[in-house]
């Protein structure tokens, strides 16, 4: 939040005028057109919660504006961004698409408007800060995550480890493990076997059978949540989920996968999560988002929480990022006037 406060302060004019009550300020979001509907609902719900809390930004109502763009359509992303700037906005929250997000960030940096990301980023947070003073990413830094995964391996004293990775992005997440191999003394045992999760007509079973036949019991599984459930089911089918096997799941959304069918196999699963799903406030946020989704689709009982409903990390980060920005804006508003101005993409007033 402090970082956001400093970012906002850079774009606003100096002045001693009192805050004008009853104003509306726009915060904008650009989402991927085929993205998770929950992200949009979380953004709107977070703005509603801020507006109901009179201890934050009293006399100011935040207005959420949402635009959508096809993933990796940088031209469309630029058009949407410029349109939002011309209408006036105090911040833009970016999409999950890497290409779109990077392009939008370059525009917001040039016009000195805060840009908030919540996506996985291949660049360390320190590099992001040096690249632009107006961007902030609430997703955990990949270097920090990688160090945490390595700490688990060291704590468990795993020696020979099979790494199953999804794609090249995994290499960035796991680079701390790879770097550690260069520091291992000749008399120490620490060995990594790296295999990509290659999908074919037999699913992922061919590569999983290779791991099973290798008799490797310590497995680091790095894949996105949308294939995690399928990979685990196929691990069970080939015999990898049974007594004596140990898995480290690197996905921060492993808690959204139902592990009930695996609990009697004797396999040990370790994973990280950012969300305390047992906290009442987390349950309230999830209920409100699911309730809104059911109202929009007109399906199901809106008074009952579906059992399969889970709050994933991306949705939680969207919700928290709105609150973090609102708190920063509140602190800044208490010491100087905050002005929302229309801009064009050259950075001049429209």
């Amino acid at each position: 939040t402090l970082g956001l406060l400093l970012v906002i302060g850079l774009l606003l004019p100096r002045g001693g005028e009192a805050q004008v009550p009853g104003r509306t300020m726009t915060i904008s979001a650009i989402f991927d057109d085929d993205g998770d509907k929950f992200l949009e609902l979380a953004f709107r719900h977070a703005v509603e919660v801020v507006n109901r809390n009179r201890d934050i930004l009293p006399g100011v109502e935040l207005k959420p504006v949402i635009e959508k763009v096809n993933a990796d359509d940088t031209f469309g992303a630029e058009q949407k961004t410029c349109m939002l700037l011309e209408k006036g906005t105090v911040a833009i929250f970016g999409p999950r698409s890497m290409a779109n997000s990077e392009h939008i960030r370059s525009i917001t940096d040039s016009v000195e408007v805060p840009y908030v990301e919540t996506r996985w980023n291949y660049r360390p947070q320190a590099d992001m800060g040096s690249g632009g003073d107006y961007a902030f990413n609430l997703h955990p830094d990949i270097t920090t995550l990688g160090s945490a995964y390595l700490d688990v391996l060291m704590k468990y004293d795993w020696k020979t480890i099979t790494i199953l990775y999804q794609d090249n992005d995994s290499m960035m997440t796991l680079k701390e493990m790879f770097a550690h191999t260069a520091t291992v003394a000749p008399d120490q045992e620490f060995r990594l076997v790296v295999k990509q999760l290659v999908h074919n007509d037999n699913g992922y079973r061919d590569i999983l059978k290779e791991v099973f036949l290798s008799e490797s019991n310590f497995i680091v599984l790095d894949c996105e949540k949308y294939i995690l459930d399928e990979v685990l089911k196929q691990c069970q089918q080939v015999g990898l989920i049974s007594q004596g096997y140990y898995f480290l799941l690197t996905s921060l959304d492993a808690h959204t996968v139902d592990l009930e069918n695996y609990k009697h196999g004797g396999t040990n699963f370790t994973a990280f999560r950012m969300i305390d799903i047992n906290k009442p406030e987390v349950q309230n946020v999830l209920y409100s988002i699911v309730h809104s989704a059911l109202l929009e689709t007109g399906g199901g009982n809106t008074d009952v929480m579906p059992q399969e409903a889970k709050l994933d990390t991306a949705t939680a980060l969207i919700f928290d990022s709105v609150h973090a920005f609102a708190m920063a804006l509140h602190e800044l508003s208490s010491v100087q006037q905050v002005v929302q101005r229309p801009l064009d993409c050259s950075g001049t007033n429209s």
Side-chain angles (χ1 to χ4, degrees), residues 3-12 90 114 134 325 328-329 332 338:
L4 284 174
L5 175 59
L6 296 175
V7 166
I8 299 169
L10 292 172
L11 75 102
L12 299 168
V90 293
Y134 303 91
F325 182 81
L329 192 60
L332 189 63
V338 178

Side-chain angles (χ1 to χ4, degrees), residues 181-190:
T181 60
T183 66
V184 176
D187 59 337
Q188 292 180 315
E189 184 182 355
F190 185 80

Side-chain angles (χ1 to χ4, degrees), residues 16-17 24 26 34-35 37 56 74 104 107 123 142 169 172 199 231 233 246 249 267 284 294 298 316 336 343 345:
E17 300 178 35
T24 297
T26 301
D34 58 350
K37 182 69 174 177
I56 304 176
T74 56
I104 295 170
I107 296 173
R123 292 181 301 179
I142 61 168
D169 288 342
M172 301 301 298
H199 190 274
V231 172
K233 286 178 180 176
Y246 298 82
L249 309 178
T267 300
N284 289 338
L294 291 174
Q336 72 176 68
L343 299 169
C345 276

Side-chain angles (χ1 to χ4, degrees), residues 108-125:
T108 55
D109 273 353
S110 68
V111 297
E112 301 182 348
V113 167
Y115 181 60
V116 184
E117 290 183 298
T118 57
R119 67 182 180 88
W120 179 94
N121 198 307
Y122 68 94
R123 292 181 301 179
Q125 191 72 259

Side-chain angles (χ1 to χ4, degrees), residues 313-327:
T313 303
T315 305
L317 287 175
I318 285 287
F319 184 87
D320 284 351
S321 67
V322 173
H323 276 257
F325 182 81
M327 290 295 295

Side-chain angles (χ1 to χ4, degrees), residues 218-333:
F218 303 107
I219 300 170
V220 175
L221 177 55
D222 185 88
C223 64
E224 295 183 77
K225 69 170 185 175
Y226 70 88
I227 69 167
L228 179 57
D229 189 40
E230 181 184 0
V231 172
L232 289 176
K233 286 178 180 176
Q234 294 181 20
C235 283
Q236 186 180 47
Q237 291 166 2
V238 303
L240 284 175
I241 296 183
S242 58
Q243 189 69 39
Y245 282 92
Y246 298 82
F247 279 77
L248 171 59
L249 309 178
T250 64
S251 171
L252 294 177
D253 290 318
H255 65 279
T256 66
V257 176
D258 187 4
L259 299 177
E260 182 71 19
N261 293 330
Y262 313 125
K263 71 177 185 180
H264 300 298
T267 300
N268 179 282
F269 290 99
T270 300
F272 290 87
R273 73 182 185 198
M274 297 180 61
I275 306 164
D276 185 350
I277 57 178
N278 297 316
K279 293 182 69 173
E281 51 264 48
V282 173
Q283 291 293 324
N284 289 338
V285 169
L286 178 58
Y287 175 82
S288 298
I289 294 172
V290 173
H291 181 79
S292 299
L294 291 174
L295 285 176
E296 286 197 7
T297 59
N301 185 348
T302 58
D303 295 325
V304 178
M305 174 74 75
Q307 290 186 348
E308 69 276 9
K310 301 286 178 63
L311 187 65
D312 65 9
T313 303
T315 305
L317 287 175
I318 285 287
F319 184 87
D320 284 351
S321 67
V322 173
H323 276 257
F325 182 81
M327 290 295 295
L329 192 60
H330 173 83
E331 293 296 325
L332 189 63
S333 298

Side-chain angles (χ1 to χ4, degrees), residues 16-184:
E17 300 178 35
Q19 176 103 353
V20 180
R23 294 188 301 151
T24 297
M25 305 191 80
T26 301
I27 61 172
S28 308
I30 300 176
F31 292 120
D32 297 322
D33 194 40
D34 58 350
D36 190 343
K37 182 69 174 177
F38 270 29
L39 300 180
E40 179 181 340
L41 295 174
F43 181 76
R44 293 189 185 278
H45 179 60
V47 174
E48 291 173 3
V49 172
V50 169
N51 285 336
R52 288 199 300 264
N53 185 350
R54 290 300 83 196
D55 292 330
I56 304 176
L57 295 172
V60 175
E61 180 179 0
L62 294 180
K63 176 186 176 183
V65 173
I66 293 176
E67 295 292 339
K68 294 183 179 181
V69 65
N70 292 328
D72 301 324
D73 177 11
T74 56
F75 178 73
E78 179 175 337
Q79 288 184 311
K80 298 286 187 180
T81 302
C82 292
M83 181 185 68
L84 292 171
L85 292 172
E86 288 169 2
K87 290 182 178 179
T89 184
V90 293
I92 294 179
F93 292 70
R96 307 282 292 172
S97 164
M98 181 181 296
N100 287 350
S101 186
E102 292 288 326
H103 193 59
I104 295 170
R105 178 173 173 262
S106 68
I107 296 173
T108 55
D109 273 353
S110 68
V111 297
E112 301 182 348
V113 167
Y115 181 60
V116 184
E117 290 183 298
T118 57
R119 67 182 180 88
W120 179 94
N121 198 307
Y122 68 94
R123 292 181 301 179
Q125 191 72 259
D127 290 350
M128 284 192 63
S130 63
D133 293 326
Y134 303 91
F136 192 84
N137 193 335
L138 268 70
H139 193 282
D141 176 67
I142 61 168
T143 302
T144 304
L145 276 178
S147 297
Y149 299 145
L150 178 60
D151 286 345
V152 170
L153 302 188
M154 297 297 98
K155 178 66 175 179
Y156 288 172
D157 199 27
W158 290 7
K159 301 298 185 183
T160 301
I161 304 158
T162 296
I163 293 178
L164 291 171
Y165 73 97
Q166 180 177 347
D167 52 32
N168 290 337
D169 288 342
S170 298
M171 298 294 101
M172 301 301 298
T173 304
L174 303 170
K175 67 178 182 178
E176 297 301 313
M177 296 183 194
F178 301 140
H180 178 71
T181 60
T183 66
V184 176

